[in-house]
Amino acid sequence: MSDTRFSPPVTTPRSPEEETGGPAQTGARWPLPEEAFWSEEADPHWMAPGELTQPQPAVKDDEPPTKNPAESPAKGPAKAPAKGPAKSPAKAPAKAPAAADEPSQAAQEPRPRKRAKAAADDTAQPQPEPKQEAQPAKRKRDPYLDNVKFVLIALVVVGHSLVPTLSADSSRALYIFIYTFHMPLFVLISGYLSRNFWNSNAKTNKLVDTFLVPYVIVEVGYALLRVSVGQKWSLTIIDPAWLNWYLLALLFWRLSTPVWKRMKYPVPVAIVVYLLSGFSQIEGDFSMDRFFGLMPFFVIGLVMQPEHFEMLNRRWIKILGVLTILGAAGVAILLAPQAKLSPFYFKASFQDLHLSWYMGLGMRAGLLVCALAMCFAVLALVPRGETWFSDLGTRTLYCYLLHGIPVLVAKEMGWLELPWLFGPLGVLAIASSAFALAIVLCLPETRTVFKWVLEPRLTWLYRRPSRS
C-alpha cells in the first residue's frame, strides 16, 4: 500500500482561486511519461461524504438533558430524579446522565432509536451529499501540465515524421525549431513531477513497472519490426534504439533525485556538469550521452515550485513568449540551409562537432539559454484550463512508445519521400498527419489495448510495506 496518504502536503495552502486551477494542484499527483508520461489514480483512501454528517444528529439529541424524561412520561423512575435538581438548575445537566443510568433501560432505549432514525433521515435526504462531494473535487488533476504534455508529444511525432524530408529547407527549419525545446521541456516537466517521487512506495515500484519492463518489451518489438521491413536483426539492451532512450535516461535521472535534493545549489552544479561533459565522448550505452546532455533541464524542473508556473501566467510574459516563439522560428528559417542537426540532440561532444573547447562551451551555453527561453515561452502560452486535449495528455506514454511503428513503416514504404512532400505544403501535410496520429494514440481505446504491455501491474513482485 502506498504511503502517500500519510505524507505531509508538498505546498502550503493558498487562496481558493489558486486551489481550483493552475499548477498549485500539481505536486506528486501529476504524471510523466507518466507521471512524466503516466497518469496517477486519485487517492481512494478519502473520507466518504456521509461520514461527517451522520454523527451530528445524534449529538444534537443528547444535548438537551430534559428530552429523555419527556419521551417516557409513564415511567416513574425517570421523573423522580428530575424533582431533586429543580431548585438548582445549574447542576441539572451534570446530574441528568447519572440519573438516567440508574433506571438503565427506561431512559437509554430511545437513544439508539433516535440515532437510527437520524441516520435514516440522512440517507433519505440527498441534499447534504453534494456539499461533501465538493471536497474531493479539489484533488482532481489540474489540466495545465496535461495540456503541455499533449502539445509536446504531438511535436515528438511531427519531428520523427519529418526526418525523410530534411533535405528541404522548410522541413529542416521546422525540425530545428521543434528540437530546440520539445525534449528539454519534456525533461523539465519530468523533473517537476519527480520532486516527491521517493515519498511513495507505489511510485518507486514504477521504476520497474513503467520503465524497465516496457523498455525491454519495446526494444524487442522494434527489433522484430525492423526485421519485418527488411532491415538486419539488431538487439542491444544496453544501447537503446531510437526513441527508447528516454525511458533509460528518465530512470537514471530519477535515481539521482535524492542526490540533487541534498545539494545547496543543484542547478549551477548541473549546468557545470552539462558543460564539462562536452569534453568527453560519452557513448550511448544506457543513454548516458542524453543523461548528461539534458541534465540541467531535469534539475531545473526538480527545484521548480507551483508559484514559478504561476509567475508565467502574466500578460506581459505571454506577450514576451509570443515574441520569443516568433523570433525562434525566424532564426530556424535562417539557420536551416547551413546548420548542423547534431547539436540539437544534446548529446554530441565537442570533438564530434569539430569544435574547439571554447567554441564548444559557447555553443552549449547558447543552446541551453535558447532552449530554456523557448520552454518558458511555451509554458506561458499553453492554456491552463480544461481543453479538448487535456484528457489526451494523460496518456502520452502510449503515443511516445507506439508512434514509432507507423512512422517506421511509412519511412520504409516510401510514403514520406514523395516528391510533393519536399516543400511547405508537404511539411504542412506531414505535420497534420502526425498530429492526427498523436490524437489516435492518446485515446482511451489505445490504452485499453496496450495497457497490459506498457503499464503492467507487477504487484506480485514487491513486498508489502510494513505497518509499523
Side-chain angles (χ1 to χ4, degrees):
M1 182 179 292
S2 171
D3 58 355
T4 53
R5 179 185 175 191
F6 306 100
S7 60
V10 178
T11 57
T12 56
R14 293 200 293 274
S15 61
E17 59 183 3
E18 289 180 336
E19 293 180 356
T20 56
Q25 293 297 315
T26 59
R29 296 189 304 276
W30 287 17
L32 226 171
E34 171 230 141
E35 82 188 157
F37 281 90
W38 51 84
S39 60
E40 293 291 343
E41 299 290 334
D43 186 6
H45 307 289
W46 191 251
M47 188 167 291
E51 288 186 22
L52 296 177
T53 58
Q54 290 181 2
Q56 292 177 0
V59 173
K60 292 180 179 180
D61 293 339
D62 293 342
E63 286 178 4
T66 58
K67 285 186 178 181
N68 288 336
E71 290 171 2
S72 55
K75 303 288 182 178
K79 294 182 180 179
K83 295 179 180 179
K87 297 180 181 180
S88 57
K91 298 181 180 180
K95 293 184 178 181
D101 291 340
E102 292 176 0
S104 65
Q105 298 180 356
Q108 291 181 0
E109 285 180 358
R111 291 187 178 180
R113 295 177 183 174
K114 291 285 287 185
R115 291 176 180 174
K117 184 178 179 181
D121 293 341
D122 288 343
T123 55
Q125 296 178 359
Q127 290 90 354
E129 292 185 0
K131 296 181 181 179
Q132 296 296 333
E133 287 177 356
Q135 295 179 353
K138 297 180 181 180
R139 300 177 62 85
K140 288 184 178 180
R141 292 174 64 95
D142 193 298
Y144 174 53
L145 288 190
D146 290 333
N147 296 338
V148 175
K149 290 194 296 179
F150 177 76
V151 171
L152 294 178
I153 200 63
L155 292 177
V156 169
V157 183
V158 172
H160 288 161
S161 302
L162 290 174
V163 172
T165 61
L166 288 180
S167 58
D169 291 344
S170 55
S171 178
R172 196 179 184 89
L174 181 58
Y175 189 84
I176 291 175
F177 175 81
I178 292 174
Y179 270 73
T180 302
F181 76 93
H182 81 308
M183 287 314 298
L185 183 52
F186 239 139
V187 176
L188 187 147
I189 297 299
S190 301
Y192 178 78
L193 297 175
S194 302
R195 295 176 304 151
N196 304 288
F197 190 81
W198 293 102
N199 294 347
S200 168
N201 290 334
K203 291 184 178 181
T204 305
N205 295 346
K206 286 183 178 291
L207 293 176
V208 176
D209 294 357
T210 323
F211 291 107
L212 295 182
V213 174
Y215 172 79
V216 174
I217 293 175
V218 171
E219 279 291 317
V220 176
Y222 277 109
L224 295 174
L225 180 61
R226 288 190 294 268
V227 172
S228 65
V229 296
Q231 298 184 14
K232 186 182 296 184
W233 169 265
S234 62
L235 177 64
T236 54
I237 297 297
I238 65 173
D239 185 11
W242 196 17
L243 52 82
N244 220 14
W245 66 266
Y246 188 80
L247 291 181
L248 273 188
L250 184 57
L251 172 65
F252 288 110
W253 281 324
R254 286 195 159 168
L255 289 175
S256 66
T257 296
V259 178
W260 297 112
K261 296 184 73 172
R262 291 279 297 173
M263 290 186 181
K264 289 184 177 180
Y265 309 105
V267 175
V269 172
I271 293 176
V272 170
V273 174
Y274 157 77
L275 294 175
L276 296 181
S277 63
F279 289 97
S280 302
Q281 289 184 287
I282 303 174
E283 300 295 334
D285 294 348
F286 297 106
S287 299
M288 285 294 102
D289 51 354
R290 307 266 194 162
F291 172 79
F292 289 102
L294 292 167
M295 178 182 292
F297 303 100
F298 182 82
V299 178
I300 290 173
L302 198 63
V303 301
M304 287 186 70
Q305 298 296 327
E307 51 267 23
H308 297 140
F309 290 93
E310 293 298 333
M311 292 173 60
L312 299 173
N313 192 23
R314 299 177 181 177
R315 180 174 300 178
W316 69 270
I317 293 183
K318 293 179 183 294
I319 296 174
L320 185 61
V322 172
L323 297 178
T324 301
I325 296 297
L326 294 177
V331 173
I333 294 174
L334 294 176
L335 294 180
Q338 67 272 5
K340 296 181 179 180
L341 299 179
S342 299
F344 299 97
Y345 299 138
F346 293 89
K347 65 176 185 177
S349 65
F350 302 155
Q351 183 176 347
D352 294 335
L353 297 175
H354 305 288
L355 297 174
S356 60
W357 67 270
Y358 55 90
M359 289 295 294
L361 289 176
M363 184 273 299
R364 282 212 165 193
L367 190 59
L368 176 64
V369 173
C370 293
L372 287 176
M374 294 185 67
C375 287
F376 293 132
V378 172
L379 289 174
L381 296 176
V382 169
R384 293 176 174 263
E386 192 78 23
T387 62
W388 63 268
F389 54 87
S390 297
D391 181 66
L392 301 177
T394 64
R395 290 177 290 272
T396 52
L397 170 66
Y398 296 86
C399 183
Y400 183 82
L401 296 180
L402 295 176
H403 80 274
I405 299 175
V407 171
L408 183 59
V409 172
K411 288 179 181 178
E412 294 298 325
M413 299 299 292
W415 299 340
L416 296 176
E417 298 178 2
L418 300 175
W420 67 275
L421 294 177
F422 290 76
L425 292 180
V427 171
L428 181 61
I430 293 175
S432 301
S433 302
F435 187 77
L437 177 61
I439 294 176
V440 172
L441 295 180
C442 289
L443 291 175
E445 292 77 8
T446 304
R447 184 185 186 188
T448 302
V449 175
F450 294 98
K451 183 177 181 179
W452 66 277
V453 179
L454 302 182
E455 285 186 300
R457 297 295 301 272
L458 304 178
T459 54
W460 54 269
L461 187 61
Y462 310 109
R463 296 180 303 173
R464 292 184 178 182
S466 61
R467 297 180 179 274
S468 58

